[in-house]
Amino acid sequence: MTKGKRPNPMKEFLDKFFDLCKEDQQELPPHKMAEALRDYAERFDG
């Protein structure tokens, strides 16, 4: 019995993230999105 290859968790996360933010990516400059992600990371590390 062969096991199927497990998808790369980081790639899967990023694909879902970019799908979720697709509309916002067209309206927000990349540096603003990066700023929001840095703020999130700081809160997450808390």
Side-chain angles (χ1 to χ4, degrees):
M1 178 184 251
T2 57
K3 292 183 180 180
K5 185 177 179 185
R6 183 170 179 244
N8 180 334
M10 180 58 79
K11 181 182 180 334
E12 191 174 312
F13 168 78
L14 289 174
D15 288 346
K16 288 178 184 178
F17 176 77
F18 284 116
D19 284 345
L20 180 66
C21 299
K22 194 170 203 163
E23 288 181 24
D24 295 326
Q25 290 176 31
Q26 296 171 5
E27 298 177 20
L28 295 172
H31 70 277
K32 286 293 187 181
M33 292 187 81
E35 182 180 321
L37 290 171
R38 280 191 295 273
D39 289 347
Y40 174 77
E42 288 175 8
R43 290 181 190 179
F44 188 72
D45 286 340

